[in-house]
Amino acid sequence: MRKWTLPLLSLIVLAGCTSVSKDECLQANWQGIGYKHGADGTEYHDGLDALSQCGEYGVSADIAEYKVGYDLGLAVYCEPENGFTLGIQGVSYNGVCNSTAFRKAWQEGNDRYQVQQRLAYIDDRIDDIDRRLKDIRAELNSNQLDNGQQKELYRERRDLENERKDLRKERALLPLLNKLPSVEISTEW
């Protein structure tokens, strides 16, 4: 069973939908629908809400069968490897897994995701600073500035160069965090 559940899981994650179609209601594969919702990490009550849509088509859901499938799917979703994958993709932890191993793996993946996000921000900010420093050099070389404007540009250039220096130091240190098993990272920089 495990061989086909992983490809199924990737398709389900791509779909990311908890609604139930008219065909699904009419075919009445409650265990399959439950499995799909569980493997997608859907919260149980959200799945039940989706099943209530079947009433519009005159079909009553078999909640017991749905629950059996949901629990089987949730067991696949709650594997630590999936937790790490979700974390490194930046997917929020929704709390459906009652597993310390899943939560720890998700946290490790999310820590790495946060580091990658910060590295991307730093690279973008350094590019912005470099562009602005180039503009400042051009403005200073234009000889069309009064003394006050020149002082302001020199001050801005100094501040930007200091910021770029600090960002480069931080960028050099951040890859070390990716090698640590788990790290608390504050998003307030």
Side-chain angles (χ1 to χ4, degrees):
M1 179 170 139
R2 189 175 193 98
K3 289 182 181 178
W4 64 269
T5 58
L6 291 178
L8 178 65
L9 177 62
S10 63
L11 290 174
I12 291 168
V13 169
L14 290 174
C17 184
T18 57
S19 64
V20 180
S21 72
K22 181 178 181 178
D23 288 339
E24 287 176 309
C25 291
L26 296 175
Q27 291 173 5
N29 183 357
W30 305 118
Q31 190 170 349
I33 294 169
Y35 182 87
K36 184 170 82 169
H37 288 174
D40 191 30
T42 301
E43 293 186 35
Y44 183 69
H45 64 83
D46 289 342
L48 293 179
D49 288 346
L51 290 183
S52 69
Q53 296 170 359
C54 291
E56 297 173 14
Y57 310 117
V59 177
S60 295
D62 184 336
I63 302 302
E65 281 294 306
Y66 174 83
K67 177 75 167 125
V68 168
Y70 179 83
D71 289 342
L72 290 170
L74 194 61
V76 172
Y77 179 83
C78 292
E79 290 180 7
E81 296 83 9
N82 188 47
F84 181 82
T85 300
L86 294 169
I88 206 159
Q89 293 173 346
V91 175
S92 297
Y93 177 66
N94 64 2
V96 297
C97 297
N98 190 17
S99 164
T100 304
F102 176 89
R103 175 67 178 173
K104 184 177 178 183
W106 177 88
Q107 185 65 54
E108 186 174 326
N110 188 259
D111 289 345
R112 291 176 188 219
Y113 171 79
Q114 296 298 329
V115 168
Q116 293 305 314
Q117 291 299 107
R118 183 63 184 167
L119 284 169
Y121 168 80
I122 289 171
D123 288 342
D124 289 346
R125 180 63 185 141
I126 288 174
D127 288 345
D128 291 343
I129 290 171
D130 288 342
R131 279 190 291 278
R132 180 61 186 141
L133 288 173
K134 183 180 177 183
D135 292 344
I136 290 172
R137 277 191 293 280
E139 289 178 49
L140 288 171
N141 290 332
S142 71
N143 295 326
Q144 297 176 349
L145 303 172
D146 64 35
N147 194 25
Q149 290 171 319
Q150 284 181 338
K151 284 182 181 180
E152 180 59 30
L153 286 174
Y154 283 126
R155 183 199 58 74
E156 183 182 357
R157 181 176 70 181
R158 184 190 68 240
D159 291 347
L160 288 172
E161 287 171 343
N162 287 337
E163 182 182 357
R164 182 177 61 186
K165 180 181 170 187
D166 291 343
L167 288 170
R168 285 178 173 164
K169 284 180 186 177
E170 183 182 352
R171 184 175 61 188
L173 293 173
L174 279 174
L176 298 174
L177 293 177
N178 268 340
K179 294 181 178 22
L180 297 175
S182 187
V183 177
E184 279 289 322
I185 297 176
S186 173
T187 56
E188 296 178 21
W189 294 92

